[in-house]
Amino acid sequence: MGSVVQLPTGKALTVQSAADRYLDALGNPNTARNYGIGVSKTVERLGSGRPLQSVADDEIGETLEQLWGSSAVNTWNARRAAVQSWLSWCRDRGYSGPSVPVWTKRITPPDSDTPAHSKSEIDRLLARRDIHLREKTLWRMLYETAARSDEILALNIEDLDFAGRRCHVKAKGAKSKTRRRGESRDDFVLEAVYWDAGTARLLPRLLKDRTRGPVFTTHRKPGPGKVVGARDVCPDTGLARLSYGQARALLDEGTSSGNPGSGWDLHEYRHSALTHLGEQGASLLMLMAKSRHKKPENVRKYFKPSPEAIAELTSLLAPGNAQR
């Protein structure tokens, strides 16, 4: 007697048809062309006629390694980003399929540091009409709070203090509270982050009449085969929380120069905010309070003053301290 195999739930597609639908859905032809390189080669290696749901996560990772494991860092990051965007798009629409495995990580170029963008660059980006309100609010909030991206993406509306322009986040390495007998609890020690007028203007427009659920959500409801926690779904609209991968892909698409993976990274808003505060004369202790770092040496790598700021500082050494 043969064994009974339970088929995966969700809508089924072949690898090729899933790739075709994804690429056709990309509005920008330049993005479609560049993302198509990574997606097409991955489809060819996996087998175009295979059901997408039959592909394992590790197969995706092994395919990426085989195709671009020995390539330049920027090439690896670009191809990985394209495949990750494709698979995320499929899952968001209820198509059963794999994910890019966690061990297949984006690589930081060894000779580069996270850049700090100028305030004018950030303002110009957020003023663009082709950028959606959700992205504008997220990017402005990341900049003004100088918080980590996963901290802001994890926020629910109930966490926000609109009057105080602040919220409490579960910080990196947060320790769980303990009872008298040392038993671990589900809640954690939270830390406050603060935003300013830019975020205060955008948040009400983004939330409209919503009073609960994730602050930043996707534009579509999760598919029938996707398991989402109760906290990660808006109880009123049914929309799921925006993931880190989705948020990063949106920022890359909005800032890349036509080559996927060449755009900004979400973490660059934190670097930029702390650099600008330092250029304005904020003390090390105040920078530590804003960034919530415990060690001064950890704050130093975030402070990257511009050449203009260094030149202005150097002018203080002119004869007679003459201000030019």
Side-chain angles (χ1 to χ4, degrees), residues 67-80:
L67 290 172
W68 301 290
S70 58
S71 300
V73 170
N74 288 337
T75 301
W76 163 265
N77 288 338
R79 303 299 179 247
R80 178 189 175 280

Side-chain angles (χ1 to χ4, degrees), residues 119 122 138-146 269 272-273 276:
K119 194 172 186 302
I122 294 173
L138 172 62
W139 301 345
R140 176 61 70 181
M141 196 171 190
L142 287 172
Y143 176 64
E144 292 187 352
T145 60
Y269 283 107
S272 301
H276 299 163

Side-chain angles (χ1 to χ4, degrees), residues 67-192:
L67 290 172
W68 301 290
S70 58
S71 300
V73 170
N74 288 337
T75 301
W76 163 265
N77 288 338
R79 303 299 179 247
R80 178 189 175 280
V83 173
Q84 184 178 46
S85 177
W86 165 44
L87 298 177
S88 296
W89 182 91
C90 291
R91 290 195 306 276
D92 290 343
R93 284 150 185 80
Y95 302 126
S96 301
S99 303
V100 174
V102 294
W103 54 266
T104 310
K105 296 182 178 180
R106 182 177 184 272
I107 302 174
T108 301
D111 57 346
S112 67
D113 295 321
T114 302
H117 301 284
S118 69
K119 194 172 186 302
S120 60
E121 283 183 294
I122 294 173
D123 290 341
R124 283 198 302 270
L125 175 62
L126 296 180
R128 280 169 43 184
R129 293 188 176 184
D130 61 322
I131 301 298
H132 192 274
L133 175 62
R134 177 188 60 188
E135 282 78 80
K136 288 185 179 183
T137 308
L138 172 62
W139 301 345
R140 176 61 70 181
M141 196 171 190
L142 287 172
Y143 176 64
E144 292 187 352
T145 60
R148 300 174 180 88
S149 51
D150 55 348
E151 295 172 344
I152 297 301
L153 289 169
L155 286 173
N156 275 23
I157 300 173
E158 304 94 308
D159 303 325
L160 305 178
D161 177 0
F162 291 95
R165 292 183 177 179
R166 64 181 178 180
C167 59
H168 287 81
V169 299
K170 177 186 174 183
K172 180 180 179 181
K175 296 181 179 179
S176 61
K177 297 178 181 178
T178 56
R179 296 194 178 102
R180 290 183 178 180
R181 296 184 180 180
E183 298 174 349
S184 179
R185 295 178 58 181
D186 293 333
D187 51 345
F188 291 81
V189 177
L190 302 179
E191 297 178 354

Side-chain angles (χ1 to χ4, degrees), residues 275 278-280 303-316:
T275 292
E279 290 177 345
Q280 293 298 314
F303 180 42
K304 295 179 171 59
S306 65
E308 293 77 13
I310 296 296
E312 184 177 350
L313 176 66
T314 306
S315 69
L316 298 175

